[in-house]
Amino acid sequence: MSTTGATADPLAALGALPGVAESVESVRKAVDRVYGHRIMRRRSNEITSEAALRAARGSAALSGADWALEEVRRRTDFSGDEARAVGAALRLTAEAGQLLSIWRQSPLRVLARLHLVAAADKADQVGRPRQEGEAVDEPLVELPLPGAEEAHGRLDGLAALVMAGGSAPALVTAAVVHGELLALRPFTTHNGLVARAAERIVLINSGLDPKSACPAEVGHAELGRAAYLAALDGYVSGTPQGMAAWIAHCGRAVELGARESTAVCEALQRGAA
C-alpha cells in the first residue's frame, strides 16, 4: 500500500471505497451480537480463552499446520516443523494481549516482539526486519518479494499511519496492517503468523473487539487458503476494487470468528441449563 498521496488520511480514504462501509457495519453487528449474549456477559474470560485457542489453530492452519482443534488443545510437545508453527501461533495469541499499550506508540517494537516470540529458534534473525540478501521462508505466500530497503521504507510508513491514528474504521486499519505485512514479509520467517497477530491487536486495541472474543483467524481459516491468497492478490494490486475486496474478506473473517464464539456461548448456555 502506498502511504503517500493527496489525502492526509489514506486509511480513511479506503473506508470510503464502495462496499467497505457495508462490511464495517456488518462486522459491527456481528461483534455486538457476541457481546450482547448473556453467557458472554457472565463468562467472558472463558469465551476469550476459547477464542484464543481457536484463533491459534486457525492461524497455524493458514501457515500449513492444519490440526484438529482437540489436537491443539491437548498437545504439549511442539517440536517438528508443523508442531512448531502451532506452538508459535499459540505463543503469539498469548503475547498479543500483553502488547496493546505499546502498539499505538511503537508498532515496530511490537512487530519485532511478535517475531521474537514466534521465531525464537532462529538465532540472530529474530526480532528484526530482514536484511538485503536474506532469504524469506514463507512458502505459502508466493507473491513477488520486495527488497529489504523497500520493505523497511514501507514498514516505516505503515508504522507512521498507525501512530497517526485517524478516523478510519478498525476493520480498515486491521486489514491494511495484515495485508501490508503479508505483502512485505519483513521478517525471514513467520510473517503470516505475525501479520494475523497484528490484525488481532488492531481489532482489540481499537475497541471493536476489546475482549478478543471474535477471532478473525478462525474466519480466515474457514474461508480457506485459496480465498485468502486471492484476496491478498487484490490488496497487492493496489486498485480500489482489490483493496475493497481484501477489506471485505477480512470483515467476513471477523464475522465468522464472531459466529464461532456465539456457538461457544450457546454450548456453554446449554451446559448451564
Side-chain angles (χ1 to χ4, degrees):
M1 175 192 175
S2 173
T3 59
T4 61
T7 177
D9 190 350
L11 294 180
L14 292 178
L17 290 174
V20 171
E22 291 81 357
S23 292
V24 168
E25 181 62 20
S26 185
V27 165
R28 168 54 67 189
K29 289 179 178 177
V31 173
D32 284 349
R33 281 193 292 272
V34 175
Y35 279 79
H37 198 287
R38 61 191 293 262
I39 292 294
M40 181 67 185
R41 293 197 298 268
R42 291 163 46 195
R43 301 169 68 177
S44 63
N45 288 343
E46 292 174 71
I47 305 303
T48 295
S49 295
E50 186 65 20
L53 183 73
R54 295 176 186 227
R57 194 217 73 82
S59 192
L62 288 168
S63 288
D66 192 359
W67 288 14
L69 180 63
E70 291 310 312
E71 177 68 9
V72 178
R73 195 188 303 280
R74 73 167 186 81
R75 181 70 77 96
T76 56
D77 176 13
F78 294 101
S79 57
D81 289 343
E82 278 199 7
R84 277 196 290 270
V86 176
L90 286 166
R91 293 193 300 274
L92 284 173
T93 55
E95 186 72 13
Q98 309 304 312
L99 300 172
L100 300 177
S101 63
I102 307 171
W103 174 250
R104 283 291 295 275
Q105 287 72 42
S106 186
L108 295 183
R109 180 181 164 195
V110 169
L111 293 173
R113 175 62 185 171
L114 291 174
H115 188 251
L116 178 65
V117 168
D121 60 339
K122 296 297 181 182
D124 64 332
Q125 295 180 338
V126 303
R128 62 159 176 82
R130 58 187 165 87
Q131 299 171 2
E132 207 65 57
E134 289 183 329
V136 173
D137 181 14
E138 201 74 42
L140 300 178
V141 179
E142 298 179 350
L143 296 166
L145 183 69
E149 184 176 353
E150 179 185 349
H152 291 184
R154 286 173 61 180
L155 202 58
D156 287 341
L158 180 65
L161 283 178
V162 170
M163 289 186 291
S167 60
L171 172 63
V172 173
T173 303
V176 168
V177 168
H178 184 170
E180 191 73 354
L181 291 173
L182 281 178
L184 296 179
R185 281 146 290 160
F187 302 107
T188 56
T189 60
H190 296 87
N191 290 284
L193 293 174
V194 169
R196 291 183 288 276
E199 178 186 52
R200 163 181 284 265
I201 288 172
V202 174
L203 294 172
I204 300 169
N205 212 28
S206 66
L208 176 64
D209 182 17
K211 295 183 183 295
S212 193
C214 304
E217 300 94 327
V218 168
H220 285 303
E222 184 174 337
L223 290 167
R225 192 180 302 152
Y228 184 66
L229 296 177
L232 179 62
D233 283 343
Y235 175 86
V236 172
S237 75
T239 65
Q241 297 87 349
M243 297 291 287
W246 169 250
I247 294 167
H249 184 88
C250 291
R252 182 60 181 148
V254 177
E255 291 180 57
L256 290 171
R259 187 183 71 179
E260 183 92 350
S261 287
T262 299
V264 172
C265 287
E266 294 293 339
L268 288 174
Q269 183 168 277
R270 288 192 298 272

